[in-house]
Amino acid sequence: MTAWFQSFGITYEWSWFTATMIGILVIALPLMLAVAMIIYAERKIWAAMALRRGPNVVGPFGLLQSFADGLKVALKETIVPTSANKGLFLLAPIISFTVALIVWAVVPFQPGVVLADINVGLLYILAASSLGVYGVIIAGWASNSKYPFYSALRAAAQMVSYEVSIGFVLITVVLYAGTFNLSGIVEAQRGNIFGILNGFGFNPLLFPMAVVFLISSMAETFRTPFDLTEAESELVAGFQTEYSSMSFALFWLGEYGNVILMCALNAILFWGGFLPPIDWAPLYVIPGIIWLLLKMLLFFFIFGWVRATVPRYRYDQLMRLGWKIFLPLSLFFVVLISGWLMLTRYGA
Amino acid sequence: MIALLAFYLFATVTIASAVLVIFARNPVHSVLWLILAFFNAAGLILLTGAEFIAMLLVIVYVGAVAVLFLFVVMMLDVDFSSLRSGFSRNLPFGLLIALVLLAEIVIAVGARQAGPVLARSAAAPAANVVPNIEALGTALYTRYLIPFELAGLILLVAMIGAIVLTHRSRGDVRGQNANRQIRRRPQDATRNTRPVSGEGVTL
């Protein structure tokens, strides 16, 4: 698109700037729409699992329910508690929301269709997701209230703990792919297994890591069974307790944006991203973005399924899973996989 | 043009937030300004083409170290006015440290321009030829393998030392044994009885 702008006689820098701005809008606006629809989808999934009907009043089949909720939230008053730290209180949801959006810059939707094709894509994702914790901590502290503060402490500890094992899981993927670039990682999965199946997840050495990553991504996005930060039976609504109106909605949008992102990452890192699951020419007729969306929806269904059926963990169980099970397991697999690659790929 | 704008943006914010770290009244605000300074420093490093270092700065300092800072500072119950009382007393000492740091930076830059310690061939490879990560990896795992591994070992020892020194096992606390809790089955914990009316059961 940069070249197209340049054909009008605009300098390279400004045409790059304009093209990037348009690219950001092209990603962010559908993402917001996707968040609205996916909230509706998730409510329908939970309803079906609980033998209820779910939202079915607003619009055909209740499709417009999320928009009605959004409108209602936007019309409410933004309340700032008197003892709150005003600036930080209002800054926190903005941080959460922004951080949830910036990660999408490196997600490849099709071969070559990615906003920023940088060679440290995976590190960028790690860096951006480690920023996400600030929205929660600042919200908890600035609210100047007990429950949000407890929630902020829990959130910080939980995110830091699970990021450790996520880091090691990512290292196993990078070892296999030989690159940090996300498009490169997807391409490395083409015909990965006997030249037939596309996806690291089909590899018996990497499949356990795919499972660890799926569970860790649930913990990283504070989804049930790991939603200790907003456990309503203990902490009212956690760090969101004092928030109302759009500041509350921004947390909500950011949270679901992160959930969709984690679904995309699961698909990209382990299940072939925009490649069809089987390396067979007729399947490539379907555009890559359709395959990616299908895989994301599958993972989203799994996320919703788990949330609908699994009870919440206790906090010590959460920490035990992160530090005593996932960390040694992923460390062991880093050693195992690098050893295996030395034997087969780089040996002799 | 855009790179220049970005540089001035990052540089201004870095310096401004570094100043505000010192002048903020609230320690939590100080830490938050510090995080902003880290983040913008990462932006500056990115502009020089060292994307790997920039990402590491964000992951390690912003994502982990500063979170712990913030954690500790938030939990402290500090009297803000007493914190500032020592300002004029400690000012000469602070200025001295700042001067030493400045002198060191000047000497380091000057020495580098006078000629690198190692031969020219060992200097960083030209940008855009080899990706940052590969260049760093090649240098770290071939030329500097032993020092690198030793640094890792020292850090490991330090970590274990910190854990050993701070870990106290308190005997009077009942811990959770997850394995026992999972192994527990209903038939082990309950007993089916059919007591005769009026006789009760033995427990």
Side-chain angles (χ1 to χ4, degrees), chain A residues 172 175-176 203-206 208-209 328-344:
Chain A
T172 61
L175 279 173
Y176 247 94
N203 186 329
L205 269 179
L206 279 168
M209 289 296 96
L329 191 71
S330 50
L331 258 176
F332 172 72
F333 268 88
V334 168
V335 175
L336 190 72
I337 286 172
S338 48
W340 171 254
L341 286 177
M342 278 308 281
L343 262 180
T344 55

Side-chain angles (χ1 to χ4, degrees), chain A residues 124-190:
Chain A
Y124 175 83
I125 285 178
L126 263 184
S129 69
S130 67
L131 289 180
V133 70
Y134 284 109
V136 179
I137 299 189
I138 293 175
W141 183 78
S143 297
N144 203 355
S145 166
K146 283 189 188 64
Y147 292 131
F149 191 61
Y150 277 131
S151 160
L153 293 184
R154 286 184 177 189
Q158 180 174 340
M159 265 198 135
V160 171
S161 316
Y162 279 84
E163 233 151 55
V164 177
S165 51
I166 282 187
F168 283 119
V169 171
L170 294 186
I171 284 177
T172 61
V173 174
V174 169
L175 279 173
Y176 247 94
T179 172
F180 276 94
N181 182 307
L182 285 177
S183 308
I185 288 173
V186 173
E187 283 303 326
Q189 298 179 43
R190 190 189 293 271

Side-chain angles (χ1 to χ4, degrees), chain B residues 79-142:
Chain B
D79 181 13
F80 301 140
S81 56
S82 72
L83 265 180
R84 305 184 64 78
S85 64
F87 184 72
S88 54
R89 192 160 39 91
N90 294 328
L91 188 63
F93 187 59
L95 279 178
L96 185 73
I97 291 178
L99 261 179
V100 169
L101 283 178
L102 182 68
E104 275 179 352
I105 290 174
V106 169
I107 290 170
V109 171
R112 188 186 151 74
Q113 276 173 351
V117 181
L118 301 163
R120 267 280 171 216
S121 60
N128 303 327
V129 180
V130 186
N132 250 253
I133 304 174
E134 278 183 48
L136 266 174
T138 317
L140 279 182
Y141 288 102
T142 53

Side-chain angles (χ1 to χ4, degrees), chain A:
Chain A
M1 199 192 274
T2 311
W4 186 73
F5 276 109
Q6 268 177 303
S7 67
F8 290 101
I10 309 168
T11 58
Y12 172 78
E13 282 183 327
W14 286 108
S15 38
W16 171 84
F17 183 77
T18 324
T20 310
M21 282 296 154
I22 292 172
I24 289 172
L25 285 182
V26 167
I27 292 174
L29 294 181
L31 183 67
M32 289 298 98
L33 194 66
V35 166
M37 293 325 291
I38 219 135
I39 290 176
Y40 164 78
E42 184 160 56
R43 289 175 69 175
K44 277 290 192 191
I45 292 170
W46 295 339
M49 292 195 180
L51 300 181
R52 291 181 288 112
R53 279 167 193 260
N56 62 351
V57 175
V58 190
F61 310 107
L63 273 170
L64 301 176
Q65 179 68 47
S66 298
F67 298 100
D69 290 346
L71 190 68
K72 182 184 168 192
V73 152
L75 293 175
K76 297 280 179 187
E77 182 192 354
T78 306
I79 300 167
V80 182
T82 45
S83 61
N85 198 316
K86 206 172 210 167
L88 289 179
F89 183 81
L90 294 176
L91 190 67
I94 299 173
I95 293 177
S96 288
F97 180 67
T98 316
V99 166
L101 283 187
I102 59 170
V103 190
W104 285 91
V106 293
V107 173
F109 296 100
Q110 276 204 61
V113 182
V114 48
L115 186 63
D117 199 15
I118 55 176
N119 62 358
V120 284
L122 214 49
L123 287 176
Y124 175 83
I125 285 178
L126 263 184
S129 69
S130 67
L131 289 180
V133 70
Y134 284 109
V136 179
I137 299 189
I138 293 175
W141 183 78
S143 297
N144 203 355
S145 166
K146 283 189 188 64
Y147 292 131
F149 191 61
Y150 277 131
S151 160
L153 293 184
R154 286 184 177 189
Q158 180 174 340
M159 265 198 135
V160 171
S161 316
Y162 279 84
E163 233 151 55
V164 177
S165 51
I166 282 187
F168 283 119
V169 171
L170 294 186
I171 284 177
T172 61
V173 174
V174 169
L175 279 173
Y176 247 94
T179 172
F180 276 94
N181 182 307
L182 285 177
S183 308
I185 288 173
V186 173
E187 283 303 326
Q189 298 179 43
R190 190 189 293 271
N192 181 253
I193 305 297
F194 308 126
I196 302 169
L197 297 172
N198 294 331
F200 287 145
F202 296 113
N203 186 329
L205 269 179
L206 279 168
F207 180 74
M209 289 296 96
V211 175
V212 168
F213 187 76
L214 180 63
I215 299 172
S216 298
S217 57
M218 282 174 201
E220 192 75 359
T221 48
F222 306 126
R223 300 271 300 181
T224 331
F226 306 107
D227 62 341
L228 272 297
T229 55
E230 44 204 272
E232 66 276 357
S233 51
E234 309 158 31
L235 298 179
V236 191
F239 58 92
Q240 305 164 343
T241 305
E242 306 288 348
Y243 282 88
S244 59
S245 179
M246 276 319 279
S247 52
F248 177 74
L250 283 183
F251 273 126
W252 203 239
L253 288 172
E255 190 180 319
Y256 273 88
N258 268 332
V259 168
I260 300 177
L261 176 82
M262 280 301 176
C263 295
L265 278 186
N266 270 298
I268 288 168
L269 294 176
F270 288 103
W271 303 101
F274 49 70
L275 300 173
I278 299 168
D279 197 18
W280 184 46
L283 287 178
Y284 285 97
V285 174
I286 302 170
I289 190 164
I290 304 285
W291 284 118
L292 182 64
L293 285 178
L294 280 177
K295 287 169 188 175
M296 282 164 64
L297 283 178
L298 177 71
F299 278 107
F300 188 75
F301 177 75
I302 295 174
F303 268 54
W305 186 8
V306 168
R307 186 163 174 171
T309 47
V310 181
R312 184 179 297 134
Y313 264 47
R314 225 170 40 213
Y315 201 69
D316 67 292
Q317 290 171 330
L318 176 89
M319 283 295 148
R320 177 176 169 271
L321 184 69
W323 288 106
K324 288 191 181 169
I325 297 175
F326 281 178
L327 180 59
L329 191 71
S330 50
L331 258 176
F332 172 72
F333 268 88
V334 168
V335 175
L336 190 72
I337 286 172
S338 48
W340 171 254
L341 286 177
M342 278 308 281
L343 262 180
T344 55
R345 200 188 288 177
Y346 302 108

Side-chain angles (χ1 to χ4, degrees), chain B residues 139-155:
Chain B
L140 279 182
Y141 288 102
T142 53
R143 192 183 179 93
Y144 301 106
L145 179 66
I146 308 266
F148 182 64
E149 300 272 304
L150 271 181
L153 201 66
I154 291 170
L155 283 174

Side-chain angles (χ1 to χ4, degrees), chain B residues 34-56:
Chain B
L34 183 69
I35 291 162
L36 191 62
F38 280 154
F39 196 65
N40 282 280
L44 284 175
I45 296 174
L46 205 57
L47 283 180
T48 64
E51 71 272 1
F52 183 64
I53 306 283
M55 290 301 150
L56 278 196

